[in-house]
Amino acid sequence: FFLSPQLERRAQGQQQKRICRVVLEHFEKQYTAELGDAWSRVRDVLTSPWCWQHALLLNRFSQSPGLESSLAEQGYQPAFPAALPYLPAAFRCYTRTAPGRFPAQKHQPGRLKDYYLLNAASLLPVLALEVEDGENVLDLCAAPGGKAVAILQCACPGNLHCNEYDDLRSRWLEQTIESFIPDPLINLIRVSKLDGRQIGDLQPEFYDKVLVDAPCSNDRSWLFSADPQQAVLRLMQRKELSSLQFQLLRSAVKALRPGGSLVYSTCTLSKAENSDVINLILNSCRNVMPVDISGMARGVSQEFTLLSGMQQHELLVLPEKGRAWGPMYVAKLEKVSST
């Protein structure tokens, strides 16, 4: 849908009132320095929710006749049309360039949902992970569960361990799995509420693939912090996030078997939480090597705006109008030997 100029001005006026000025000023200073001219275009999207886009990840375990033709009628097209290094045939995602949100499906016990609504860029960490049938997979920070659902659209792991430390978010994760995964497959999924920093010591060298979708300073949601005092507290605690992210990554490395790979992702633009954390783990763990994901980056560059100048093992999706996906940082590493 497209708003008339009058409605857009009205929506803009309402939305500006809800933007947290403290957070915006903080981002303005940091991201002008880190992103240069690109920040103004990103800021225009982040502060304008009426131009945000939503994708649909179809659930291969649910029969939904007519859904794809209905999506086509509404301007949705299959995402990821380019040849990617890893794109399973069962993995079906639909996007459209127009903003707006497809109706959400309510959770109904005993009934599977047909699709998962999400930011299309959040699927890139799963595609970078390249999960194969029979592998032992750990989703270290799994709530609300979208990436676990996406993993199961790609392959049938021998074991999928979904961990979420926060009790409320863990219940959200369990409901997501119940909404999308049939009973026979649920038996392959283990949900735990462990401290992710300890899993590497609890299950050393057990997993073939590990996803660390780390807690981060979520740029989209932080900009609309309703409570200014909470926003100030968040910004103060922001400096501690990179330490937590590093500890989670180090735990993930311990949990990986030699030859296994991990993907680290965040939904922030912050260099301190992205490239700096990856560089720290590469410099401190001699048994970890970067994995080239530039082939995937090239394959999705028609659908996503990527920050130039990144290393071959990483990418950063920048939201822009018409391609309002992200922010999403993705980096891939491989464990080459035991410590």
Side-chain angles (χ1 to χ4, degrees), residues 182-238:
D183 287 339
L185 269 181
I186 283 183
N187 295 330
L188 302 176
I189 303 170
R190 175 192 171 202
V191 176
S192 66
K193 293 188 283 188
L194 300 168
D195 184 334
R197 294 169 292 187
Q198 299 173 356
I199 287 180
D201 290 324
L202 294 171
Q203 293 187 289
E205 301 194 345
F206 179 75
Y207 297 98
D208 302 291
K209 304 282 170 66
V210 178
L211 175 62
V212 184
D213 186 43
C216 68
S217 50
N218 184 320
D219 296 344
R220 283 192 187 229
S221 66
W222 280 30
L223 274 168
F224 296 91
S225 301
D227 182 351
Q229 289 182 322
Q230 181 195 46
V232 171
L233 182 62
R234 277 176 166 176
L235 291 173
M236 289 173 60
Q237 295 173 334
R238 195 180 197 207

Side-chain angles (χ1 to χ4, degrees), residues 135-136 203-210 252-261 334-338:
E135 290 183 323
N136 291 325
Q203 293 187 289
E205 301 194 345
F206 179 75
Y207 297 98
D208 302 291
K209 304 282 170 66
V210 178
V253 171
K254 290 180 181 178
L256 266 182
R257 65 166 180 79
S261 57
E334 180 183 0
K335 184 173 183 176
V336 293
S337 65
S338 300

